[in-house]
């Protein structure tokens, strides 16, 4: 899901991928058959109880670990001399990919950012001039470092302060193509995609669910179709992105709006597990359908960030209120999750992180 060890040139050719037609329902229903699979869903409950869940589906070990990143870290867009620069305004807890990118994470203000695969993504041309570059590996981290709410993030993105820079997935001959979702403690959401080289933002509480292909506009068309049928009549059951989207959207709104936050949390876990792909599954005619490797669930109100690996029996969590995110005394720390995230943890684990040098986001200067 990340960049090569070094991007080949400053002017990356954009690979044109055929968009799915929004009105062609049979095509829509097949969309995502060849895309690596992830799902994200936001629960909007009573008493301002907002919970965001996501699954990470990938065909091999994505080398994920948990990291604590305090305020005050100076960062670069890692896109060569013309890179965007910033210093982290907010502390965050993130899940890395290959320890060179942020694939999922939350900050101390209750903002969550997730990146999911979108094969149809087409990013702007970047030649090292004009707008500064931002490596796609740090796209989610830029959001967590700089913004407390989705509204703030969207207002900044609408000014297009950077150009996303991307290249092939490590060891593979395919472009790293992602879209970004954000949610916050108010229940606000945003989906950010690049279509034909142009940034497209969907902003609002109604955008609760995102999977992979097709483009989000087409996912909304799917939502309209399945809402007419009704989830109690029939729901699609395969592991394709379009089917997972339909199930997640129905269930995230069908589960009880329980006053007990622990019961609400249990319901949300049930939804994201329902949208997961069984570990070790092999789909010969759809080689990129991938096993779910881990899941995260974030209770925005209580600031509890849960992690669940497919290979361990326990779900554990980080209480962000127990972490020192300050610039003066906060430290970069990591929790080693092991190969395939097979290390077992239990309960609240903020005290088990160990100090570590920060990882470097992969990009042109990587």
């Amino acid at each position: 899901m990340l960049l090569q060890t070094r991007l080949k040139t400053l002017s990356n050719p954009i690979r044109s991928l055929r968009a799915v037609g929004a009105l062609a329902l049979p095509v829509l229903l097949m969309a995502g058959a060849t895309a690596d699979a992830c799902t994200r869903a936001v629960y909007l409950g009573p008493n301002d109880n907002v919970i965001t869940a996501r699954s990470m589906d990938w065909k091999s070990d994505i080398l994920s670990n948990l990291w604590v990143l305090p305020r005050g870290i100076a960062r670069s867009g890692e896109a060569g001399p013309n890179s965007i620069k910033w210093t982290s305004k907010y502390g965050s807890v993130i899940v890395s990919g290959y320890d060179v990118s942020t694939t999922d994470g939350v900050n101390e203000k209750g903002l969550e950012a997730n990146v999911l695969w979108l094969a149809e993504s087409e990013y702007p041309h970047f030649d090292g001039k004009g707008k500064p570059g931002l490596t796609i590996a740090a796209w989610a981290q830029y959001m967590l470092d700089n913004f407390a709410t989705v509204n703030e993030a969207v207002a900044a993105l609408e000014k297009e302060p950077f150009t996303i820079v991307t290249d092939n997935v490590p060891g593979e001959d395919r472009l790293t193509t992602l879209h970004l979702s954000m949610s916050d403690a108010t229940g606000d959401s945003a989906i950010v995609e690049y279509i034909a080289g142009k940034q497209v933002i969907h902003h609002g509480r109604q955008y609760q669910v995102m999977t992979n292909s097709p483009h989000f506009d087409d996912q909304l068309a799917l939502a309209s179709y399945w809402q007419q049928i009704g989830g109690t009549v029939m729901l699609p059951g395969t592991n394709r992105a379009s089917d997972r989207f339909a199930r997640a959207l129905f269930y995230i709104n069908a589960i009880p709006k329980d006053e007990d936050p622990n019961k609400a949390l249990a319901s949300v876990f049930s939804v994201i597990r329902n949208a997961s792909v069984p570990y070790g599954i092999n789909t010969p005619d759809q080689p990129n359908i991938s096993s779910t490797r881990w899941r995260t669930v974030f209770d925005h109100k209580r600031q509890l960030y849960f992690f669940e690996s497919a290979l361990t029996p326990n779900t554990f969590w980080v209480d962000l209120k127990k972490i020192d995110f300050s610039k003066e005394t906060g430290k970069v720390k990591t929790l080693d999750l092991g190969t395939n995230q097979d290390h077992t943890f239990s309960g609240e684990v903020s005290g088990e992180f160990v100090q570590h040098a920060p990882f470097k986001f992969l990009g042109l200067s990587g």
Side-chain angles (χ1 to χ4, degrees):
M1 186 178 275
L2 306 170
L3 305 173
Q4 285 181 325
T5 302
R6 189 172 183 85
L7 295 179
K8 296 177 182 177
T9 65
L10 279 171
S11 56
N12 293 315
I14 295 177
R15 300 182 180 185
S16 296
L17 298 170
R18 183 170 61 88
V20 180
L23 298 179
L25 183 60
V27 177
L28 280 174
L29 295 178
M30 288 300 295
T34 59
D36 291 281
C38 299
T39 304
R40 169 265 199 187
V42 181
Y43 165 85
L44 304 174
N47 303 321
D48 299 319
N49 189 16
V50 177
I51 303 172
T52 300
R54 78 82 54 91
S55 61
M56 168 55 75
D57 304 353
W58 201 248
K59 61 185 178 181
S60 58
D61 183 11
I62 198 170
L63 304 174
S64 293
N65 292 297
L66 279 167
W67 289 81
V68 169
L69 304 173
R71 305 173 212 125
I73 299 177
R75 300 200 199 279
S76 163
E78 304 297 345
N82 186 24
S83 295
I84 192 168
K85 308 286 186 183
W86 75 95
T87 299
S88 58
K89 183 178 180 181
Y90 302 112
S92 58
V93 177
I94 65 99
V95 185
S96 64
Y98 302 105
D99 279 348
V100 293
S101 82
T102 295
T103 61
D104 190 89
V106 299
N107 73 16
E108 60 183 307
K109 294 298 184 180
L111 180 70
E112 175 154 10
N114 334 89
V115 288
L116 281 68
W117 192 261
L118 178 63
E120 294 86 357
S121 299
E122 297 180 19
Y123 302 103
H125 175 74
F126 180 68
D127 60 2
K129 303 174 183 178
K131 292 179 183 177
L134 172 65
T135 170
I136 201 168
W139 192 13
Q141 193 62 50
Y142 181 87
M143 303 298 122
L144 297 175
D145 284 351
N146 289 294
F147 309 110
T149 66
V150 170
N151 196 56
E152 286 181 13
V154 168
L157 289 178
E158 286 175 340
K159 299 175 182 177
E160 300 192 51
F162 54 75
T163 298
I164 287 287
V165 179
T166 189
D167 201 8
N168 287 354
V169 176
E172 300 185 37
D173 186 24
R174 59 171 177 162
L175 199 65
T176 303
T177 50
L178 308 173
H179 52 173
L180 171 77
S181 62
M182 293 179 286
S183 51
D184 66 24
T186 72
D188 197 9
S189 280
I191 310 297
V192 186
E193 298 180 335
Y194 283 89
I195 302 174
K198 301 294 184 181
Q199 178 182 258
V200 177
I201 302 174
H202 294 82
H203 179 204
R205 285 171 62 91
Q206 68 271 33
Y207 301 125
Q208 294 170 259
V209 175
M210 183 176 84
T211 54
N212 311 109
S213 297
H215 288 309
F216 194 67
D217 277 331
D218 293 342
Q219 292 188 28
L220 295 177
L222 284 172
S224 177
Y225 172 80
W226 285 110
Q227 284 170 352
Q228 291 179 48
I229 294 177
T232 58
V233 176
M234 180 180 67
L235 281 173
T238 79
N239 50 24
R240 295 176 306 191
S242 54
D243 289 4
R244 288 182 283 106
F245 182 91
R247 293 201 306 277
L249 183 62
F250 171 74
Y251 284 123
I252 202 67
N253 289 296
I255 56 178
K257 299 297 187 285
D258 205 296
E259 298 280 344
D260 184 337
N262 288 330
K263 290 181 179 179
L265 192 69
S267 293
V268 174
F269 262 109
S270 298
V271 172
I272 201 63
R273 289 166 181 157
N274 179 279
S276 296
V277 180
Y279 190 83
I281 196 168
N282 180 29
T283 311
D285 61 335
Q286 299 172 22
N288 292 325
I289 288 292
S290 305
S291 300
T292 296
R293 297 193 165 265
W294 48 259
R295 288 172 286 266
T296 61
V297 176
F298 183 46
D299 183 327
H300 292 256
K301 186 175 183 179
R302 295 188 291 173
Q303 291 192 298
L304 303 177
Y305 189 44
F306 293 82
F307 187 93
E308 180 177 73
S309 169
L311 290 185
T312 60
N314 291 340
T315 298
F316 61 92
W317 63 93
V318 180
D319 186 342
L320 271 67
K321 299 185 297 298
K322 295 184 177 181
I323 296 175
D324 180 4
F325 287 117
S326 69
K327 177 180 178 180
E328 294 74 21
T329 57
K331 305 294 183 183
V332 174
K333 296 181 178 182
T334 189
L335 186 68
D336 181 6
L337 300 180
T339 303
N340 291 303
Q341 300 76 58
D342 65 355
H343 290 181
T344 300
F345 299 93
S346 179
E348 202 284 318
V349 297
S350 60
E352 299 188 46
F353 283 73
V354 297
Q355 190 171 338
H356 197 284
F359 67 82
K360 184 176 182 181
F361 289 96
L362 198 57
L364 282 174
S365 57

